[in-house]
Amino acid sequence: MRLLSRADILEALEALSEELPEDSPVEIFVGGGAALVLLYNAREATKDVDAVVVASANPSAVRGAAQRVAEILGLPLDWLNEGAKGYLHGFSPGEVLFQRPHLVVRA
């Protein structure tokens, strides 16, 4: 299993921002291992990016873009997933970890 380092995650998010439709800004909250890697530098790597899309006119476009990024970068197809979504109960916007015109990622 390939682990994703901070550099790998940021490269994937950059690619994701390029794959997203320009007319549909997206905001994502990340948690789990990815938040520990990106926000706290508490881990070297994680197996995936647990994320919740909190703002998007077209969530399926985000999933499609993530699939294309997986193919382009040779990542697991579930590198960006909502596996932790069920554990989130009431959350507030955290620190911005990554920002581009069409994508904002917060922890």
Side-chain angles (χ1 to χ4, degrees):
M1 167 181 32
R2 176 180 174 184
L3 293 178
L4 304 173
S5 68
R6 177 181 179 80
D8 293 332
I9 296 168
L10 292 174
E11 178 184 23
L13 293 173
E14 187 71 50
L16 181 65
S17 72
E18 294 171 6
E19 289 292 325
L20 290 169
E22 293 183 11
D23 62 344
S24 180
V26 173
E27 186 169 5
I28 296 173
F29 288 2
V30 299
L36 293 174
V37 170
L38 294 173
L39 183 60
Y40 302 112
N41 293 316
R43 295 173 64 171
E44 296 270 332
T46 186
K47 65 180 181 129
D48 60 5
V49 177
D50 296 317
V52 177
V53 177
V54 294
S56 174
N58 187 354
S60 66
V62 177
R63 287 188 293 277
Q67 294 284 318
R68 290 190 300 278
V69 168
E71 293 168 7
I72 292 166
L73 298 180
L75 300 175
L77 292 178
D78 65 346
W79 75 271
L80 182 72
N81 66 77
E82 293 186 326
K85 186 176 185 176
Y87 298 102
L88 298 175
H89 302 282
F91 52 94
S92 60
E95 184 175 330
V96 173
L97 303 174
F98 181 89
Q99 187 167 9
R100 295 296 181 267
H102 312 296
L103 176 63
V104 175
V105 179
R106 297 178 181 270

